[in-house]
């Protein structure tokens, strides 16, 4: 997350200026290099410090590759399909990402147990190199030409939407990080089922309701989703029984599902087409910040008040995100009203 966060703005600039295909190509090359370094770390296992240093370097390179690949592929999809399909492209990108995470985690455990750490590196090389070849064979889609805004200007325009995303993502971050320990503290079984319920509800909501963003707009959908997510986190906080926590996890996933594309559509609208890659990079960086900081912040709360308090922390965060999106919607309506008044005048 450190490497991904630090490289997001750079990845956006490359996508805007050199093209999304270049960003994806560099990203897949970095992921392939990460696999090579992972194999090297496994080969150096008898030398602890060189092995650990190589392993950390592998993770940092992978973070940069993820940033370049995800930002570039999202912009590539938007440019290919057209700006009117931004919500769908962002949504399907998220389904691919979370689907890969859901598949990769258990697969990685099996590979490590059967053949060791080097097998993970070899699979990473295979996937990264295969993706590089696949991307290189696709025709580039040229983006719009125009003035490239200074990074600070893009940041100011996208930051409110990013803050809503970051705070809305705390529910997922807390669930993924602490649900196992929460279940252990209650002497319950089946913590993994909560993550399964979250993932299935997340994907189902994206597949079933992604069209609502085009129909009703990003802010109304974001408001509805954050309200639903807050109810799920509330159930997790007050859950007296495992099935209540399971239900809360599913509702949390269902609600959080469309927050990213809903606010992302509105964030991209704040800049010209020639700055969309930078806007996507900045916007996504707020999600990285959320995932990076939630663990230590919620952990500090847990240290004082216990594991259930992590979900109260998440509830406050999600409700704050809801307040931000409500304000943004009011500002948008006020701006549209002023434009309409000016037209009549």
């Amino acid at each position: 997350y450190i490497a991904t966060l630090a490289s997001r703005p750079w990845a956006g600039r490359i996508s805007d200026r050199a093209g999304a295909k270049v960003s994806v190509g560099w990203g897949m090359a970095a992921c392939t290099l990460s696999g090579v370094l992972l194999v090297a770390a496994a080969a150096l296992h008898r030398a602890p410090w060189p092995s650990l240093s190589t392993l950390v370097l592998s993770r940092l390179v992978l973070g940069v590759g993820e940033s370049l690949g995800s930002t570039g592929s999202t912009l590539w999809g938007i440019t290919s399909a057209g700006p009117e399909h931004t919500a769908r492209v962002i949504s399907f990108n998220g389904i691919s990402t979370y689907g890969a995470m859901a598949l990769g985690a258990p697969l990685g455990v099996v590979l490590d147990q059967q053949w060791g750490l080097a097998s993970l590196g070899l699979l990473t090389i295979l996937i990264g190199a295969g993706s590089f070849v696949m991307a290189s064979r696709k025709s580039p889609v040229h983006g719009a030409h125009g003035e490239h805004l200074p990074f600070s200007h893009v940041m100011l325009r996208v930051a409110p939407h990013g803050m809503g995303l970051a705070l809305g993502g705390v529910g997922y971050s807390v669930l993924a990080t602490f649900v196992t320990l929460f279940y252990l503290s209650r002497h319950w079984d089946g913590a993994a089922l909560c993550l399964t319920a979250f993932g299935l509800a997340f994907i189902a909501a994206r597949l079933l309701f992604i069209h609502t963003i085009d129909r009703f707009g990003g802010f109304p959908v974001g408001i509805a989703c954050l309200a639903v997510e807050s109810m799920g986190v509330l159930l997790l906080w007050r859950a007296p029984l495992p099935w209540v926590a399971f239900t809360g996890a599913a509702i949390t996933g269902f609600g959080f599902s469309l927050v990213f594309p809903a606010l992302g559509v509105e964030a991209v609208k704040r800049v010209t087409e020639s700055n969309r890659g930078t806007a996507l990079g900045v916007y996504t960086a707020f999600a990285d910040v959320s995932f990076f900081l939630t663990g230590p912040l919620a952990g500090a709360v847990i240290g004082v008040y216990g594991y259930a308090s992590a979900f109260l922390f998440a509830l406050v965060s999600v409700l704050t995100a809801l307040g931000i999106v409500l304000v943004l919607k009011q500002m948008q309506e006020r701006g549209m009203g002023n434009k309409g008044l000016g037209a009549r005048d």
Side-chain angles (χ1 to χ4, degrees), residues 223-292:
I223 290 168
C225 288
L226 288 168
V228 172
E229 183 185 356
S230 67
M231 290 188 288
V233 177
L234 176 62
L235 282 178
L236 283 162
W237 171 41
R238 303 301 297 171
L241 295 169
W243 70 266
V244 178
F246 177 88
T247 303
I251 294 174
T252 300
F254 196 87
F256 179 60
S257 178
L258 294 180
V259 172
F260 191 109
L263 298 185
V265 166
E266 299 296 342
V268 170
K269 289 179 182 178
R270 297 285 296 157
V271 299
T272 60
E273 290 188 15
S274 58
N275 293 278
R276 286 182 305 193
T278 304
L280 282 170
V282 171
Y283 175 68
T284 308
F286 280 91
D288 298 328
V289 171
S290 175
F291 300 151
F292 178 69

Side-chain angles (χ1 to χ4, degrees), residues 145-240:
H145 297 285
E147 179 188 3
H148 293 289
L149 296 173
F151 175 76
S152 59
H153 290 194
V154 178
M155 169 67 81
L156 288 174
R157 296 184 184 191
V158 176
H161 307 74
M163 285 298 299
L165 171 66
L167 291 168
V170 172
Y172 162 71
S173 300
V174 166
L175 180 68
T177 306
F178 296 108
V179 69
T180 301
L181 296 174
F182 173 64
Y183 264 59
L184 287 174
S185 70
R186 298 291 181 92
H187 306 288
W188 294 344
D189 295 323
L193 293 176
C194 279
L195 295 176
T196 301
F198 177 95
L200 291 176
F202 181 97
I203 293 173
R206 284 208 169 180
L207 291 175
L208 293 173
F209 297 106
I210 187 59
H211 65 279
T212 59
I213 298 175
D214 295 329
R215 182 175 180 182
F216 300 107
F219 288 141
V221 172
I223 290 168
C225 288
L226 288 168
V228 172
E229 183 185 356
S230 67
M231 290 188 288
V233 177
L234 176 62
L235 282 178
L236 283 162
W237 171 41
R238 303 301 297 171

Side-chain angles (χ1 to χ4, degrees), residues 80-101:
S80 300
E84 66 274 15
H85 298 294
T86 296
R88 292 179 181 273
V89 172
I90 294 176
S91 180
F92 285 123
N93 180 278
I95 290 174
S96 300
T97 301
Y98 283 94
M101 291 172 62

